[in-house]
Amino acid sequence: ASMVIYTGFRLASPMEFVKTWKIGLDQLAIFITTVVLTLATDLLIGIGAGIVLKLDLHLVRGVPVTRLFSAKPITNELEDKTIITLPEAAVFSNWLSIKPLLLAVPPSRKLVLDCSKALLIDHTVMEHLHELERERKEAGSRLELIGIDRHEKVSKHPLAARRLPRTASLNPSNG
């Protein structure tokens, strides 16, 4: 019992709340929902509620229901690089449909990820892309994100979720 209490305190320490708040209010709401419902009911219900809240937030942000679990990225092979375009959204629940395409590009080729059409790139995907960028750099290769400068960060955190402003999504000629 003492190990469970110790682990629970470490996971829900005040510093974790501050860290999560810095990532964004969405992440804080999901974290608080998960913690409160886990304490009030049980672990599975708390985690399930956190996942449902995150999916709901994605839907509110304009992610089509059809793209919640499958991203349908488009791959273009050029002479010296591979360009993968993310249509509509890159979120935690569709990452598994994006990841294999990114990992299939050998380090000998430059990998370009075009995010200009993605309505939303969530914090989880930003973390994965940051890690992939680091891994490719260590392998002597490169991952270049293009079109991400069109997105607004939801907080000042470097890996915060990014969303395409409504005006940019209505006018695809910008960028």
Side-chain angles (χ1 to χ4, degrees):
S2 61
M3 283 180 48
V4 171
I5 291 169
Y6 174 75
T7 304
F9 180 76
R10 289 207 46 199
L11 292 173
S13 73
M15 285 309 298
E16 285 302 314
F17 284 89
V18 171
K19 179 181 157 189
T20 305
W21 174 68
K22 287 180 180 178
I23 295 169
L25 289 176
D26 288 2
Q27 290 300 119
L28 182 61
I30 294 163
F31 184 67
I32 290 172
T33 299
T34 303
V35 168
V36 168
L37 285 172
T38 297
L39 293 173
T41 59
D42 70 30
L43 181 62
L44 289 177
I45 291 173
I47 291 172
I51 291 170
V52 168
L53 177 57
K54 190 161 186 172
L55 291 171
D56 286 346
L57 289 170
H58 291 338
L59 291 171
V60 167
R61 292 261 162 79
V63 175
V65 174
T66 58
R67 292 295 169 250
L68 280 178
F69 300 102
S70 177
K72 305 267 189 216
I74 300 162
T75 303
N76 290 313
E77 300 283 342
L78 300 177
E79 271 183 42
D80 61 336
K81 62 186 168 189
T82 300
I83 301 173
I84 298 176
T85 304
L86 295 175
E88 299 173 304
V91 295
F92 82 104
S93 54
N94 69 19
W95 172 249
L96 293 178
S97 64
I98 299 168
K99 181 180 176 180
L101 293 173
L102 299 175
L103 295 179
V105 178
S108 59
R109 294 183 59 81
K110 180 179 176 184
L111 172 57
V112 178
L113 187 60
D114 183 357
C115 304
S116 62
K117 294 182 176 137
L119 300 172
L120 179 68
I121 305 165
D122 77 0
H123 167 68
T124 304
V125 171
M126 289 304 300
E127 281 186 323
H128 287 302
L129 292 176
H130 179 72
E131 181 66 20
L132 181 62
E133 192 173 37
R134 185 190 60 75
E135 289 171 3
R136 287 188 69 87
K137 187 175 184 178
E138 286 176 2
S141 187
R142 197 168 153 213
L143 167 64
E144 180 182 355
L145 299 176
I146 61 171
I148 202 155
D149 54 327
R150 299 177 65 203
H151 294 74
E152 297 173 337
K153 286 180 160 185
V154 300
S155 75
K156 293 180 181 178
H157 192 276
L159 300 177
R162 285 152 169 82
R163 59 183 172 218
L164 198 58
R166 185 152 170 76
T167 55
S169 62
L170 293 175
N171 186 3
S173 63
N174 292 345

